[in-house]
Amino acid sequence: MTAPVVAVVGGGQLARMMAPAATALGIDLRVLTETADGSAARVVRSSVVGLPRDDGSMAAVLTEPRSADVLTFEHEHIPATAFARARDVGVPAHPAEHALLYAQDKIEMRRRLTGLGVPCPDWTELPGPGALEGFLRDHGGVAVVKTARGGYDGKGVRVVRSVTEVTEWFAAARIGGPALLAEAKVPFVRELAVLLARRPSGELRCWPVAQTVQADGVCSVVVAPAPDLSPEVEAEALRAARTVAEGLDVTGVLAVEMFEVPGDGAGGPRVLVNELAMRPHNSGHWTIDGAVTSQFEQHLRAVLDLPLGSTETVGPWSVMANVLGSGLGELTDGLATVLSADPGAKVHLYGKEIRSGRKLGHVTVVGEDLHDVRDRALAAAARLRGETVDG
Amino acid sequence: MTAPVVAVVGGGQLARMMAPAATALGIDLRVLTETADGSAARVVRSSVVGLPRDDGSMAAVLTEPRSADVLTFEHEHIPATAFARARDVGVPAHPAEHALLYAQDKIEMRRRLTGLGVPCPDWTELPGPGALEGFLRDHGGVAVVKTARGGYDGKGVRVVRSVTEVTEWFAAARIGGPALLAEAKVPFVRELAVLLARRPSGELRCWPVAQTVQADGVCSVVVAPAPDLSPEVEAEALRAARTVAEGLDVTGVLAVEMFEVPGDGAGGPRVLVNELAMRPHNSGHWTIDGAVTSQFEQHLRAVLDLPLGSTETVGPWSVMANVLGSGLGELTDGLATVLSADPGAKVHLYGKEIRSGRKLGHVTVVGEDLHDVRDRALAAAARLRGETVDG
């Protein structure tokens, strides 16, 4: 069979979790990985060790032994040269460079979203400390300062009350480091995420709006669908995400992270867009076990411009809990304990070396009763971390 | 992470479909494949090209670059030397040689099942044509003749009314070919399959009893659970399968194919065991999309002696339809058509070259209404074969 070939830049758990979907659909996956024993490289036949800024590595992942049908990414840190190499050999990139820009650069993103009328927190560029002083004055003395580029999982984001808390970021920006922006610290009710996929030919499908819970800037727990979501907030969230996807011409999976806010009672927005990710995203891991089509299958279908799959849920509630490295021991030690304690828990391990704070795996539980499902997911994640759980 | 290593003999679609489950559980899969571009080899990092009768190939799959934790199989055609090589290097085999024997040799199987009191069709060994003449006389002039070894997918099975229809099988048996047996042709109501998994430490879990439909001796459609199954037949079927698993000390997944028969109204059996398979089986492909734990994940858990997963269904009805090669064209041509026509159909392609009659993939649909689910699964399979489907 002449299988479609999807080239993926990045060899972490997101590329890894594309592999089962590729297997089912008869797609050959080829990953560009930083290390030969990386999370994705362990589970695919074909990988290239290198970086997207290396032209030779890009050429290999794009064309060897035969040309890829599409180039896609598991992270946003893609240099312009990588897109140029794909153009050179006639391989389309999804998302395209003109779309991915808005997931790479938060200033570009805020400008564009503001232009599209998508509700965002108040924000401003920070050409220097003076601008931050002014923003703090206007926003109750607190602001969220972000580096426009290079951040992830809470890195490159600081809640500050004084210019001195980001002195070194201003210093870095003056010598070519990432530009800075300030955003209002939003008094949010909770965080939501809208996950969708869009094909080059325009078809777009959203999964149900999910609630995300962060700990130390890292996604910790996701509940899908978001409990007690008002129809108005749901409609606003879906509308904002669709506007982003179509306005920015996003292809593949898009995750739009949002704040649900109390609203001003006068028709003001009830959701504000926080971050964008143009790839499968932690807020969508629940779809592997909880939806008819997983975000990984959907991403492959979308970037190959194949018809999209149903985003319906397979059970009333799905709860996903991340497992971060705590340095306590091998996850495989906890595996038998988890599987024994809860035969319905779906465990996903990423095949990584343990390092404190690193995402090593996740657990999803799908079921009828939200409290039961949540308790089981949290207990399973704790057991995988090697913690003792009652009951 | 030190991942468990599972060595698998065989590189077809059954080994291939173990790969997604291995990825999720952080297990490294290493397959012994006949061809470097085989169905499984295309989707795993680590494969050895060779045959289980080659000692060097067995040594490689068992120990290189590090020792496997367990050896398992995707088919029954495993020579004693392969088990010996595993013993040499201290790698346990599941199923073990003493169990797999009964899936390899139908005469041994019939003898043992008869000894265990498991209901089987009338049967007899056929040392020569005279024995078949006698069996035909006693069974209304018709019998099912089987080669004790080497058959699969309807090969090695013939419904005969005269000794002359298997003359060459008797001739082959006289010069060292497989021994023959005759079985009564059972007037069955339908065919059922019980799929279960059993760990070395004894834990055993059954999926719901499924109905299988064969065409030309090959599994064509599976409906799970079997519709309108009487509690008595269900209990008999599950009891028979459990007796087989425990009596034969089967480890890993076991599929027990059965005939449902009208019964004699006097307490006689309502099911008769037809065939055994000690591995994931076509009758269990529906579990990938239709059950909390797929047969592939369960097989890996079982052979590693990890606690087994829930065998509950994720929807009321699952229907799986096989896609066999019809020589009409590339399956990928039909893929977009299928995905477009039914966003809820779950397509599984095996990455094989098309050959007439070859199993190339399957489709599963899960849903509320049996007729709808069945129609959709059959339509999707037809579309994948390149046929035009109304509606």
Side-chain angles (χ1 to χ4, degrees):
Chain A
M1 194 175 82
T2 310
V5 177
V6 175
V8 183
V9 172
Q13 71 267 23
L14 300 177
R16 177 186 176 97
M17 287 187 276
M18 291 179 199
T23 295
L25 290 176
I27 294 164
D28 284 348
L29 213 58
R30 199 157 61 212
V31 303
L32 180 62
T33 172
E34 286 188 37
T35 61
D37 209 38
S39 182
R42 295 178 74 124
V43 302
V44 300
R45 180 194 201 177
S46 185
S47 56
V48 175
V49 178
L51 293 170
R53 66 166 180 261
D54 304 333
D55 284 351
S57 301
M58 280 307 300
V61 78
L62 285 164
T63 62
E64 291 169 18
R66 62 194 173 92
S67 180
D69 291 277
V70 65
L71 172 69
T72 190
F73 317 99
E74 67 139 30
H75 60 69
E76 290 82 13
H77 309 300
I78 310 300
T81 53
F83 286 99
R85 292 299 76 75
R87 274 193 303 275
D88 290 347
V89 293
V91 174
H94 292 294
E97 189 171 14
H98 64 262
L100 192 66
L101 168 66
Y102 302 104
Q104 294 175 317
D105 189 308
K106 296 187 209 297
I107 292 175
E108 296 286 353
M109 184 266 277
R110 285 292 176 220
R111 273 192 202 133
R112 187 85 176 94
L113 264 51
T114 305
L116 286 167
V118 172
C120 293
D122 270 354
W123 73 282
T124 189
E125 295 179 60
L126 295 178
L132 178 54
E133 276 167 12
F135 193 84
L136 284 167
R137 212 159 37 232
D138 296 345
H139 291 84
V142 61
V144 182
V145 178
K146 298 182 176 180
T147 58
R149 286 175 174 262
Y152 68 97
D153 277 353
K155 289 171 184 64
V157 176
R158 268 184 213 167
V159 178
V160 307
R161 295 176 179 277
S162 139
V163 168
T164 57
E165 294 176 65
V166 283
T167 302
E168 86 281 19
W169 284 4
F170 280 113
R174 277 194 301 273
I175 56 169
L180 304 179
L181 66 161
E183 297 177 355
K185 186 167 185 297
V186 173
F188 60 82
V189 178
R190 60 176 167 177
E191 292 182 82
L192 301 174
V194 178
L195 190 78
L196 62 80
R198 183 171 172 271
R199 292 168 65 185
S201 54
E203 188 191 5
L204 185 156
R205 285 183 188 254
C206 299
W207 284 268
V209 179
Q211 177 175 355
T212 64
V213 181
Q214 319 283 325
D216 300 326
V218 181
C219 177
S220 169
V221 174
V222 175
V223 183
D228 303 318
L229 189 67
S230 79
E232 296 75 24
V233 172
E234 181 183 27
E236 269 191 52
L238 292 172
R239 188 166 56 240
R242 183 179 278 267
T243 303
V244 170
E246 292 175 344
L248 274 47
D249 190 28
V250 178
T251 43
V253 163
L254 168 71
V256 184
E257 294 183 279
M258 303 179 184
F259 299 119
E260 180 178 348
V261 293
D264 58 7
R270 296 281 305 275
V271 298
L272 300 173
V273 169
N274 182 22
E275 304 276 2
L276 306 182
M278 294 183 194
R279 51 172 170 79
H281 185 255
N282 205 157
S283 65
H285 289 355
W286 68 272
T287 60
I288 300 174
D289 302 297
V292 173
T293 310
S294 80
Q295 65 169 343
F296 298 99
E297 176 176 342
Q298 199 81 304
H299 186 73
L300 294 175
R301 288 164 73 151
V303 300
L304 284 167
D305 205 15
L306 285 169
L308 300 180
S310 164
T311 53
E312 284 178 45
T313 59
V314 300
W317 298 105
S318 295
V319 175
M320 190 262 358
N322 271 350
V323 179
L324 270 63
S326 57
L328 286 177
E330 294 282 355
L331 285 194
T332 41
D333 298 344
L335 185 58
T337 312
V338 175
L339 299 181
S340 170
D342 190 344
K346 300 310 294 179
V347 173
H348 299 265
L349 301 181
Y350 304 157
K352 293 181 181 177
E353 299 298 328
I354 291 184
R355 202 186 297 156
S356 184
R358 198 178 202 195
K359 288 178 182 172
L360 300 177
H362 74 267
V363 183
T364 300
V365 176
V366 181
E368 304 281 331
D369 180 82
L370 175 57
H371 292 283
D372 171 61
V373 166
R374 186 156 46 194
D375 289 350
R376 286 168 55 200
L378 294 176
R383 287 189 173 100
L384 265 182
R385 285 189 299 263
E387 297 164 23
T388 306
V389 177
D390 291 342
Chain B
M1 194 176 82
T2 309
V5 178
V6 175
V8 183
V9 173
Q13 69 266 23
L14 300 176
R16 178 186 177 98
M17 288 187 273
M18 291 179 199
T23 295
L25 291 177
I27 294 164
D28 285 347
L29 213 57
R30 199 156 62 212
V31 302
L32 180 62
T33 171
E34 286 189 36
T35 61
D37 209 36
S39 183
R42 295 178 74 127
V43 301
V44 300
R45 180 196 203 175
S46 186
S47 56
V48 175
V49 178
L51 292 169
R53 67 166 181 259
D54 304 332
D55 285 350
S57 302
M58 280 306 301
V61 78
L62 285 164
T63 61
E64 290 169 21
R66 64 194 172 90
S67 180
D69 291 277
V70 65
L71 172 69
T72 190
F73 316 99
E74 68 140 28
H75 61 69
E76 290 83 11
H77 309 300
I78 310 299
T81 53
F83 286 100
R85 295 297 78 74
R87 274 193 303 275
D88 291 347
V89 292
V91 174
H94 292 293
E97 191 172 13
H98 63 263
L100 192 66
L101 168 65
Y102 301 104
Q104 294 176 316
D105 189 308
K106 295 187 211 296
I107 292 174
E108 296 286 355
M109 183 267 277
R110 285 293 175 220
R111 271 192 205 136
R112 186 85 175 94
L113 264 53
T114 305
L116 286 167
V118 173
C120 293
D122 268 355
W123 73 282
T124 189
E125 294 180 59
L126 296 177
L132 178 54
E133 276 167 11
F135 193 84
L136 283 167
R137 213 160 34 232
D138 295 345
H139 292 85
V142 59
V144 182
V145 178
K146 299 181 175 180
T147 58
R149 288 177 173 259
Y152 68 98
D153 278 353
K155 290 172 183 63
V157 176
R158 268 184 214 168
V159 179
V160 307
R161 294 175 180 276
S162 138
V163 167
T164 59
E165 294 177 65
V166 284
T167 302
E168 86 281 20
W169 284 5
F170 280 113
R174 276 194 301 272
I175 56 169
L180 303 181
L181 67 160
E183 297 177 356
K185 186 167 186 297
V186 173
F188 59 83
V189 178
R190 58 176 168 179
E191 292 183 81
L192 301 174
V194 178
L195 190 77
L196 61 81
R198 182 170 173 272
R199 292 169 64 186
S201 54
E203 189 190 5
L204 185 157
R205 285 183 187 253
C206 297
W207 284 268
V209 179
Q211 177 175 354
T212 64
V213 181
Q214 319 283 324
D216 300 327
V218 181
C219 177
S220 168
V221 174
V222 175
V223 182
D228 304 317
L229 190 66
S230 78
E232 295 75 25
V233 172
E234 182 183 26
E236 270 190 51
L238 293 171
R239 187 167 57 239
R242 182 179 279 269
T243 302
V244 170
E246 292 176 343
L248 274 48
D249 190 28
V250 178
T251 43
V253 163
L254 168 71
V256 183
E257 295 183 278
M258 302 179 186
F259 300 118
E260 181 179 348
V261 292
D264 57 7
R270 297 281 305 273
V271 297
L272 300 173
V273 169
N274 181 21
E275 305 276 1
L276 306 183
M278 294 184 195
R279 50 170 169 79
H281 185 256
N282 204 155
S283 65
H285 289 356
W286 69 271
T287 59
I288 300 174
D289 303 296
V292 173
T293 309
S294 80
Q295 65 169 344
F296 299 99
E297 176 176 342
Q298 199 81 303
H299 187 72
L300 294 174
R301 288 163 75 151
V303 300
L304 284 166
D305 206 14
L306 285 168
L308 300 180
S310 163
T311 52
E312 284 178 44
T313 59
V314 300
W317 298 105
S318 295
V319 175
M320 189 266 353
N322 270 350
V323 179
L324 269 61
S326 58
L328 285 177
E330 295 282 356
L331 284 194
T332 41
D333 298 344
L335 185 58
T337 312
V338 175
L339 299 180
S340 170
D342 191 344
K346 302 308 296 177
V347 173
H348 299 265
L349 301 182
Y350 305 157
K352 293 182 181 176
E353 299 299 327
I354 291 184
R355 203 185 298 156
S356 183
R358 198 179 202 193
K359 289 178 182 172
L360 300 176
H362 74 266
V363 183
T364 301
V365 175
V366 181
E368 304 281 330
D369 179 83
L370 175 56
H371 292 283
D372 172 61
V373 165
R374 187 157 46 193
D375 288 351
R376 287 168 54 202
L378 295 176
R383 287 189 172 99
L384 266 182
R385 285 189 299 263
E387 297 166 22
T388 306
V389 177
D390 291 342

